[in-house]
Every structure is written in structure tokens, then in C-alpha cells.
């Protein structure tokens, strides 16, 4: 045992493993980091580097054929295309009417283009380099109208003669830029060379390069990107940071707009329609006028369209006119399209030759009988005849003005299905627009009701004044009522059809009666007349021969309510259908509003 008494233990060392070299690991980690960093940087570069891809301009502007031209109207690309023929720009006729000038009128039956100014009717035959202004020949260096089947194109230079527009032509792609909206626009200068793109964003393909200092017009301003149009008509998006201050400018073009004058009476118009159905009826004009008060215009129903060639039938009398003039009453001869059922009004209106012949017949009759005006009463027109009817009014108005004739046009109260009558355009050319504020309910109606309730009148006036100036608007009121006879339907209330909300449980017929006759009928049958605030007139019901009868009564009170609408709306006057159906006392009411 050792001296110290302690065991002397020797420390044992563990054997060491092979030494690890960390350098490759660190290198690998560094490499991976570098790769990821490079990928990240690459992603950032890709994300924030603008693409140099160019947009397919043929596709963008939808220009594929050699003669196609993109149509850029007031800095907006529209669907329709123009054509480039013989170095001239041509636009589709419908596009001209839709976007630029509705007054151009194309007769597809006779291949004639018409345009009416405030003084002249311009006529162009398809395929010709000449045209007529009234009876004067004019020539151009280009074909004005090119027609091929249903496709009709007008030379833009010719359209520009009568339209306040300017245009520029550019290539690659072929495009025409038309400016027709004048006034305030927003513009800005480009601060540095950049590009406009298909959409907002640097990854959107380039539409066009834009040099520094060029000027663009703002179409839609966004927070970061705005849609712009360049001076040469390229449209796309540009980053707002590349733009200078946006300023407002007024753009205009020297153009003399036509000034349409109207022959208007200084006093309130008080017009009575006189239904004349035979030459002998003219002899009673003295009695007809003497039964009135305050009448300053009489409109005899003398003329009507009598065939498809544009001829008119006439019941006119020079002695009648002479007598009226001696009483200080103007005569506006009425021409209608309703008397001869064999006449195709649409045919007459849509053929220039027959329309012209009709116009000449009317003017010739007006001169022959020393008329003061024409009252046009064309009703039940088809939508197909709408544009042609308005063109007829334009052409007739020019000849009326040249002969000091007042032109008045009778119109239904505005509805969606009579919109094609285009009262606004009628009012540009005609002197007066007369609202036929009656026949709210008639023999062909879906149900019975008033001839002319006050709400019907008020809405008719309000809606007409959206299109026609008040000083050109005359309110037509009825001197008649309809007496309705109701017959209950068999099984009414017992079948499925009866459960419908719009089911009418009776059939009905009606008769038209004058004021006094209507009241006599009510009195004879013991009917009590009850005032209806909703209708603005008296309503009466009675039973006769096991039939129920109902009538909305036109009398002094109902007429006065209508005339108050005329007065409050500051209209040009009133017209009455028809003389002879009134009772004498109604004239005391009328003269309070028309004198």
C-alpha cells in the first residue's frame, strides 16, 4: 500500500475521432444563400422591370384588312371601323348617324342621300362626285356616297361640311381620329420618355412609345395609372409619375351652326279642328266660327294622302279661306294619312320620289287656296317609317318657310313605342308641335277609362317638354267623351283566367259623344255625376237594358283643368278636337286662358 494511504489512479484519455473540415459546409450554405438571394433579386428585377413586349396593334385596334381604319371618336376607340378608299376616309352611314350627325338620311330604295339644313335640301346620288343644293349643282373631287348592297359609306370630308368635327389620319395601324365634342378637356405633358400600355401596369404590353415633352389628353384618371390618348390617336395607360401637371383646356373649331327660325304667332294659339268630310260642309264655316269665342286659327280636315304616288285628295275651298281671313282667323289646312286604307304610308315616306311629290302637292294646294299654314296629322306609323317621316317634316318645313306657311305637326303623348317620332328633331324644323292629349282609352284599349284624365295630360305635357320648347308646344284637348257599355263575360270568376290580376271580367264597346249629348244621356238614365280628383273630371255610371254603362265626362270643369296645365307650363296655346262637339258655355272657360 502506498505511503500516503491513497490509491494513485492514472487518468485515462479517450481516443479522438477524425478531425471534421467545416469549410465545405460553410461554402455550401453560402452557395445556397447566394442562389436564393440571386433568385430573390431576379424575382425583384423581373417584378419591377417594365416589359418590352409590344402589343399586337392590329388585334388591339381590330384592323385586319388593307382598307380598314380604326375609328377613334373623341379619344375613344369604337367598335365600328372606317374605310380608306382612294386616299379618302369613308364612314358607315349608320355610324355617321349614331355618332356624328343624325340629320343625314339614306333612301335605300332609290339610292339617294339627303341632308337638310336650315335653308336647303342637299341631294346626292350614290356613286357620284356631284350633288345638289336645292336646285344648284355642286361638284367634289371624290365620290360622296359608296353603296354596295346594304353597305353604305359616306365620305368623311362631305360629312364634315355639315358637321362640327375635325379629323386626323394616321398609319401603323391605319386609324382616323375624329373630334366632335368641343369644350373642356384635361391634358398633361410627358416628363420623360416612356410608353403607354394596354393596361395599367409595367407588365402590360406596350402600345406606343411617348417622347418627353409630348402632350396627352386624359381619358380616365386613376391613382397610379391613367388612360390617355396621344396627339396621334394612340390610346393606352400611362403611369401618373411620368406626367406633369394636369391642366384644363378649352378646345373649339370655327364652324357656323345652322340657325333655325320659326314662324310663331305673337298671341296665344287657339286652334279649332273643323272636320270637313264633303264640299258642302265648307258652306257651314260661318256658323261654326260664330259658335266659338277666342278662336284665331281654324284647321279644316281638307287633305289626305290618296295613293302610293304621293297624290292628295282635296276638299279645300277658297271662299272658306276668304271668309276666315275676314274674321281675323288663320287657316291651317290639315293633311292626314288615315282616310284611304289602301295607301301604304310607309312606302310613300321611304321613297324620295313619292315623298317629294307629296310635298309639292301640299305646297301647291296651300298656295292655290291662300292658306296660312299646314297641319300635319300622320298617325299609326310603323317604326320602319320613323326616320323617313322625320325627313318628310324636314323637307316640308323648308318649302313651308319659303312660302311663309306655318307648319304644325300633331303628335301622340310620348311613350316608348312612339319614340321613333323624334319630337325633338320635329321641333327643330316644324313651327309647332301639337300634343294630342286624348284617346287615353279608346275602342281598342285593353280596358275602359277616361279619354283624357288630368294625369294623362300632365304627363304628356311634361314628357313632351323634355324634347320640345314650350313656346312651340300646343296642347290638344277633347270636346268629346266615350260612353262605355259593359257586358259581363260568361263564367267570370269561375275559371283560372279570372284569377289573373289584369283579367277584365267584361267585354266592352263605346260610342263617342259631344259634351251636351253626353250629359243628356246621363240625365236621361238617372246617372249621378261624381267628381273624380284622380281623373280631373266627373264620372257617371248607369244601367240600361241589363247592361252597365260608364262615362268619364268632358265638360267645362275638365277642360279648365287641362287649360291650367297649358297656362302653368307656358305653352304656345291650345287646340280642340273637334268644333261642333262642344257646348257654347265651354268657350267662356277657354277665353280665360287663351286671351
Amino acid at each position: 500500500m502506498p505511503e500516503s494511504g491513497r490509491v494513485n489512479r492514472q487518468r485515462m484519455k479517450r481516443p479522438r475521432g477524425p478531425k471534421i473540415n467545416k469549410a465545405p459546409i460553410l461554402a455550401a450554405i453560402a452557395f445556397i444563400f447566394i442562389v436564393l438571394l440571386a433568385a430573390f433579386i431576379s424575382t425583384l428585377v423581373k417584378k419591377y422591370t417594365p416589359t418590352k413586349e409590344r402589343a399586337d396593334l392590329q388585334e388591339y385596334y381590330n384592323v385586319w384588312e388593307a382598307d380598314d381604319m380604326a375609328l377613334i371618336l373623341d379619344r375613344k376607340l369604337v367598335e365600328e371601323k372606317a374605310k380608306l378608299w382612294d386616299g379618302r376616309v369613308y364612314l358607315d352611314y349608320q355610324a355617321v348617324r349614331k355618332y356624328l350627325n343624325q340629320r343625314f338620311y339614306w333612301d335605300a330604295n332609290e339610292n339617294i342621300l339627303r341632308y337638310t339644313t336650315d335653308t336647303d335640301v342637299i341631294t346626292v346620288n350614290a356613286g357620284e362626285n356631284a350633288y345638289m343644293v336645292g336646285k344648284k349643282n355642286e361638284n367634289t373631287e371624290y365620290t360622296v356616297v359608296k353603296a354596295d348592297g346594304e353597305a353604305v359609306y359616306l365620305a368623311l370630308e362631305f360629312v364634315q361640311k355639315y358637321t362640327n368635327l375635325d379629323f386626323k389620319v394616321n398609319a401603323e395601324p391605319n386609324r382616323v381620329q375624329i373630334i366632335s365634342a368641343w369644350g373642356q378637356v384635361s391634358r398633361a405633358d410627358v416628363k420623360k420618355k416612356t410608353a403607354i400600355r394596354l393596361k395599367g401596369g409595367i407588365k402590360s404590353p406596350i402600345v406606343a412609345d411617348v417622347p418627353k415633352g409630348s402632350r396627352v389628353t386624359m381619358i380616365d384618371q386613376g391613382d397610379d395609372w391613367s388612360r390617355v390618348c396621344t396627339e396621334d390617336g394612340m390610346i393606352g395607360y400611362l403611369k401618373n409619375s411620368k406626367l406633369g401637371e394636369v391642366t384644363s383646356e378649352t378646345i373649339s373649331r370655327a364652324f357656323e351652326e345652322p340657325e333655325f327660325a320659326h314662324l310663331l304667332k305673337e298671341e296665344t294659339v287657339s286652334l279649332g279642328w273643323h272636320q270637313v268630310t264633303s264640299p258642302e260642309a265648307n258652306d257651314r264655316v260661318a256658323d261654326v266660327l260664330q259658335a266659338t269665342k277666342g278662336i284665331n286659327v281654324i284647321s279644316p280636315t281638307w287633305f289626305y294622302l290618296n295613293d302610293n304616288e304621293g297624290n292628295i285628295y282635296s276638299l279645300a275651298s277658297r271662299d272658306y279661306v276668304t271668309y276666315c281671313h275676314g274674321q281675323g282667323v288663320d287657316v291651317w289646312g290639315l293633311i292626314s294619312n288615315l282616310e284611304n286604307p289602301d295607301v301604304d304610308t310607309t312606302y310613300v315616306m321611304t321613297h324620295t320620289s313619292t315623298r317629294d311629290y307629296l310635298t309639292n302637292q301640299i305646297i301647291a294646294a296651300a298656295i292655290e287656296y291662300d292658306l296660312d299654314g299646314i297641319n300635319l296629322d300622320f298617325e299609326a306609323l310603323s317604326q320602319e317609317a320613323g326616320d323617313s317621316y322625320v325627313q318628310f317634316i324636314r323637307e316640308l318645313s323648308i318649302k313651308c318657310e319659303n312660302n311663309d306657311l306655318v307648319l304644325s305637326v300633331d303628335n301622340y303623348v310620348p311613350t316608348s313605342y312612339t319614340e321613333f317620332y323624334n319630337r325633338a328633331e320635329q321641333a327643330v324644323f316644324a313651327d309647332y308641335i301639337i300634343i294630342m292629349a286624348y284617346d287615353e282609352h279608346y275602342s281598342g284599349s285593353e280596358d275602359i277609362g277616361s279619354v283624357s284624365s288630368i294625369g294623362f295630360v300632365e304627363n304628356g305635357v311634361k314628357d313632351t317638354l323634355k324634347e320640345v320648347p314650350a313656346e312651340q308646344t300646343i296642347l290638344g284637348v277633347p270636346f268629346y267623351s266615350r260612353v262605355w257599355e259593359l257586358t259581363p263575360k260568361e263564367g267570370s270568376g269561375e275559371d283560372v283566367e279570372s284569377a289573373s290580376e289584369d283579367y277584365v271580367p267584361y267585354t266592352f264597346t263605346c260610342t263617342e259623344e259631344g259634351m251636351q249629348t253626353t250629359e243628356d244621356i246621363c240625365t236621361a238614365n238617372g246617372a249621378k255625376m261624381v267628381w273624380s280628383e284622380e281623373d280631373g273630371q266627373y264620372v257617371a255610371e248607369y244601367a240600361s237594358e241589363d247592361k252597365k254603362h260608364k262615362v268619364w265626362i268632358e265638360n267645362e270643369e275638365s277642360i279648365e283643368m287641362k287649360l291650367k296645365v297649358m297656362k302653368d307650363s307656358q305653352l304656345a296655346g291650345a287646340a280642340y278636337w273637334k268644333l261642333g262637339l262642344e257646348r257654347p258655355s265651354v268657350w267662356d272657360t277657354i277665353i280665360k286662358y287663351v286671351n
Side-chain angles (χ1 to χ4, degrees):
M1 189 172 191
E3 182 177 285
S4 62
R6 292 181 298 177
V7 177
N8 183 17
R9 298 177 178 174
Q10 187 176 4
R11 180 178 292 179
M12 301 294 293
K13 293 183 178 180
R14 296 180 180 177
R16 295 181 178 181
K19 188 175 181 181
I20 298 173
N21 186 354
K22 297 181 179 180
I25 296 174
L26 293 174
I29 293 172
F31 178 76
I32 292 171
F33 176 78
I34 291 171
V35 169
L36 291 175
L37 180 62
F40 177 71
I41 293 173
S42 176
T43 300
L44 289 177
V45 169
K46 287 181 180 179
K47 182 177 180 180
Y48 293 104
T49 299
T51 181
K52 295 182 180 180
E53 179 188 358
R54 311 293 296 194
D56 185 336
L57 296 183
Q58 275 190 309
E59 181 178 356
Y60 180 45
Y61 285 96
N62 193 26
V63 176
W64 301 101
E65 303 297 332
D67 58 1
D68 280 351
M69 301 188 78
L71 177 55
I72 301 161
L73 178 65
D74 294 319
R75 304 165 197 90
K76 292 182 180 179
L77 180 64
V78 300
E79 181 180 358
E80 293 85 351
K81 293 188 288 290
K83 293 291 185 179
L84 185 63
W85 290 323
D86 302 323
R88 309 279 179 173
V89 180
Y90 286 80
L91 290 187
D92 177 78
Y93 162 71
Q94 294 297 346
V96 170
R97 284 177 54 87
K98 178 180 178 181
Y99 296 117
L100 301 174
N101 193 329
Q102 66 163 329
R103 215 156 278 158
F104 283 95
Y105 170 80
W106 172 248
D107 174 357
N109 294 304
E110 298 180 349
N111 284 353
I112 295 173
L113 179 73
R114 280 276 170 91
Y115 188 83
T116 312
T117 69
D118 54 331
T119 57
D120 295 295
V121 176
I122 290 86
T123 305
V124 189
N125 292 315
E128 294 187 359
N129 289 34
Y131 60 97
M132 299 281 292
V133 179
K135 296 182 179 180
K136 181 182 177 183
N137 283 308
E138 299 284 350
N139 293 290
T140 66
E141 298 178 352
Y142 52 86
T143 302
V144 177
V145 183
K146 293 183 179 247
D148 182 13
E150 294 184 359
V152 180
Y153 286 84
L154 311 186
L156 186 54
E157 288 176 67
F158 189 78
V159 174
Q160 188 184 40
K161 288 173 65 71
Y162 304 103
T163 311
N164 190 10
L165 66 84
D166 207 353
F167 68 93
K168 298 178 183 177
V169 175
N170 297 95
E172 299 180 0
N174 287 340
R175 59 196 184 278
V176 55
Q177 182 183 190
I178 299 176
I179 301 298
S180 64
W182 307 99
Q184 294 290 316
V185 296
S186 296
R187 285 181 170 169
D189 291 326
V190 176
K191 294 193 295 186
K192 59 185 297 186
K193 181 181 178 181
T194 185
I196 59 172
R197 299 178 179 274
L198 279 178
K199 298 180 180 179
I202 60 174
K203 296 304 179 182
S204 182
I206 295 171
V207 174
D209 296 311
V210 185
K212 177 182 178 181
S214 61
R215 200 149 178 77
V216 296
T217 302
M218 314 302 291
I219 300 174
D220 295 306
Q221 291 182 251
D223 295 333
D224 297 316
W225 291 76
S226 293
R227 196 159 186 250
V228 302
C229 181
T230 64
E231 292 293 317
D232 61 352
M234 300 299 283
I235 298 172
Y237 286 83
L238 195 151
K239 196 169 179 60
N240 290 343
S241 60
K242 302 296 179 69
L243 290 172
E245 180 184 1
V246 178
T247 59
S248 179
E249 294 182 13
T250 300
I251 59 173
S252 62
R253 171 177 176 261
F255 182 80
E256 187 175 348
E257 295 284 359
E259 295 183 6
F260 292 89
H262 297 98
L263 294 172
L264 303 179
K265 294 180 73 67
E266 293 183 2
E267 67 271 22
T268 301
V269 175
S270 184
L271 180 152
W273 279 295
H274 179 202
Q275 188 172 32
V276 176
T277 57
S278 68
E280 292 74 26
N282 289 318
D283 298 335
R284 295 190 288 273
V285 63
D287 295 335
V288 170
L289 276 182
Q290 287 170 13
T292 69
K293 292 181 182 178
I295 287 285
N296 54 22
V297 178
I298 192 168
S299 182
T301 59
W302 273 344
F303 310 107
Y304 61 82
L305 183 58
N306 202 34
D307 59 33
N308 291 344
E309 302 303 316
N311 286 295
I312 61 175
Y313 183 83
S314 173
L315 289 167
S317 162
R318 186 66 179 255
D319 291 340
Y320 182 110
V321 176
T322 300
Y323 176 81
C324 291
H325 286 171
Q327 304 302 308
V329 175
D330 289 347
V331 181
W332 296 356
L334 181 146
I335 177 165
S336 169
N337 68 324
L338 300 176
E339 280 71 19
N340 189 336
D342 296 327
V343 173
D344 184 347
T345 305
T346 297
Y347 180 92
V348 176
M349 292 292 102
T350 56
H351 288 73
T352 298
S353 57
T354 54
R355 203 175 58 247
D356 282 349
Y357 190 72
L358 173 60
T359 301
N360 291 335
Q361 293 292 299
I362 294 171
I363 297 300
I367 294 172
E368 179 181 357
Y369 294 102
D370 194 26
L371 301 182
D372 305 286
I374 296 296
N375 178 230
L376 191 60
D377 184 40
F378 274 41
E379 301 182 35
L381 296 177
S382 67
Q383 189 162 353
E384 180 187 354
D387 288 341
S388 302
Y389 177 61
V390 174
Q391 180 61 23
F392 172 56
I393 292 172
R394 294 186 187 114
E395 295 164 356
L396 180 59
S397 74
I398 298 297
K399 293 196 173 185
C400 281
E401 184 175 359
N402 291 342
N403 290 278
D404 292 322
L405 294 166
V406 174
L407 176 61
S408 61
V409 184
D410 303 337
N411 277 271
Y412 302 116
V413 298
T415 58
S416 59
Y417 50 85
T418 62
E419 186 176 351
F420 65 87
Y421 277 80
N422 197 348
R423 296 162 187 80
E425 184 69 1
Q426 286 188 34
V428 172
F429 288 87
D431 300 302
Y432 290 106
I433 303 299
I434 303 180
I435 309 170
M436 296 184 293
Y438 39 80
D439 285 349
E440 178 182 2
H441 296 88
Y442 51 96
S443 59
S445 295
E446 295 180 358
D447 201 355
I448 66 172
S450 172
V451 166
S452 180
S453 69
I454 192 62
F456 180 75
V457 173
E458 289 172 340
N459 289 330
V461 170
K462 179 186 68 175
D463 292 339
T464 298
L465 292 182
K466 294 176 182 177
E467 301 180 82
V468 182
E471 63 269 20
Q472 289 180 252
T473 304
I474 297 172
L475 178 63
V477 300
F479 279 168
Y480 65 95
S481 303
R482 285 194 168 93
V483 179
W484 300 92
E485 181 181 273
L486 287 62
T487 304
K489 293 180 180 177
E490 291 185 8
S492 177
E494 299 175 0
D495 53 18
V496 175
E497 182 185 2
S498 301
S500 172
E501 289 185 4
D502 55 359
Y503 175 71
V504 179
Y506 47 78
T507 59
F508 53 85
T509 58
C510 66
T511 59
E512 294 180 8
E513 309 292 350
M515 287 183 177
Q516 190 59 52
T517 303
T518 299
E519 190 162 310
D520 290 345
I521 290 173
C522 291
T523 301
N525 288 278
K528 181 180 179 181
M529 298 191 301
V530 179
W531 180 258
S532 168
E533 288 290 345
E534 180 182 357
D535 296 305
Q537 56 196 151
Y538 287 100
V539 181
E541 296 184 29
Y542 63 91
S544 175
E545 298 178 356
D546 299 325
K547 298 284 183 70
K548 182 179 178 181
H549 296 77
K550 192 168 183 178
V551 57
W552 283 258
I553 300 168
E554 293 293 348
N555 61 11
E556 292 80 1
E557 288 90 342
S558 65
I559 295 297
E560 182 162 22
M561 290 199 71
K562 296 170 178 54
L563 294 177
K564 285 180 179 178
V565 175
M566 177 210 75
K567 198 75 171 180
D568 292 344
S569 302
Q570 299 181 317
L571 304 188
Y576 326 104
W577 180 265
K578 61 181 177 173
L579 298 180
L581 292 182
E582 80 281 11
R583 57 186 175 193
S585 54
V586 77
W587 294 109
D588 294 324
T589 300
I590 289 173
I591 60 174
K592 293 191 299 183
Y593 293 90
V594 299
N595 280 7

